Amino acid sequence: MHHKFEQNAAIDPADPLVVVQAATQSPETTAILDYLDSYQAPHAGLIPVKTPDRLLLVKTATIILADIQQETLLLYTTTGTITTHETLRNFVRRLGDANFVQVSKHGVLNLNHLQSLEDSFSGNLTAILSEQIKTVVSRKYVKDLMGQLGL
């Protein structure tokens, strides 16, 4: 990846314009754009989560797995499970944390809690996480996960 700075007095210094150029849009360019989107996120390691009876401030580092079951989002944390009604896509967007990787259409795991991967059925993997939590890594997402792991 190459990068350079170009000065342009017409652009507001408090709101710089960042342009990502490539031959085609790829997972790498998408990752850069996602990082830029999350750059000024006001989270500071906390994310508010609305449960049926209260609003919780959850430390993102404690989230092991976010998993949709029917229309309920379950957040598996180091201290227990939190239930909320939010889409997985919106939750991941609010997280803005590169340590969270989508591993199936219904699950996102925190790489900091990934302990091992095991072969499963039809090219899928089973991810073993902290607190003895397991989730399926769909074969569609295996390549992305391996890329995040540097393999």
Side-chain angles (χ1 to χ4, degrees):
M1 175 173 65
H2 306 287
H3 60 278
K4 67 179 180 176
F5 174 78
E6 292 180 3
Q7 189 169 347
N8 184 338
I11 296 175
D12 179 359
D15 190 23
L17 171 66
V18 178
V19 177
V20 177
Q21 295 181 334
T24 61
Q25 186 157 356
S26 65
E28 290 80 12
T29 57
T30 302
I32 292 168
L33 294 170
D34 289 345
Y35 175 78
L36 291 171
D37 286 341
S38 68
Y39 176 72
Q40 290 183 320
H43 55 75
L46 292 173
I47 186 165
V49 177
K50 189 172 181 353
T51 67
D53 59 346
R54 60 187 159 167
L55 180 69
L56 297 172
L57 289 176
V58 180
K59 292 180 182 175
T60 56
T62 66
I63 300 171
I64 300 168
L65 174 70
D67 192 49
I68 290 284
Q69 292 185 6
Q70 293 159 353
E71 293 186 14
T72 302
L73 177 62
L74 298 175
L75 301 178
Y76 297 91
T77 72
T78 56
T79 58
T81 304
I82 300 168
T83 303
T84 186
H85 292 285
E86 180 176 2
T87 65
L88 184 62
R89 174 176 285 172
N90 189 56
F91 180 74
V92 170
R93 182 189 57 76
R94 289 191 317 114
L95 267 174
D97 189 329
N99 289 319
F100 288 84
V101 178
Q102 185 141 14
V103 293
S104 65
K105 69 179 183 178
H106 60 82
V108 172
L109 62 78
N110 184 341
L111 289 175
N112 294 322
H113 290 280
L114 179 62
Q115 296 177 341
S116 66
L117 293 167
E118 299 175 353
D119 287 330
S120 189
F121 302 105
S122 306
N124 294 341
L125 297 174
T126 299
I128 312 299
L129 306 164
S130 302
E131 308 295 323
Q132 289 79 42
I133 295 171
K134 294 181 181 183
T135 192
V136 172
V137 179
S138 300
R139 66 178 177 218
K140 175 181 175 183
Y141 297 94
V142 168
K143 185 176 179 181
D144 292 340
L145 176 60
M146 293 304 175
Q148 287 287 91
L149 295 172
L151 300 174

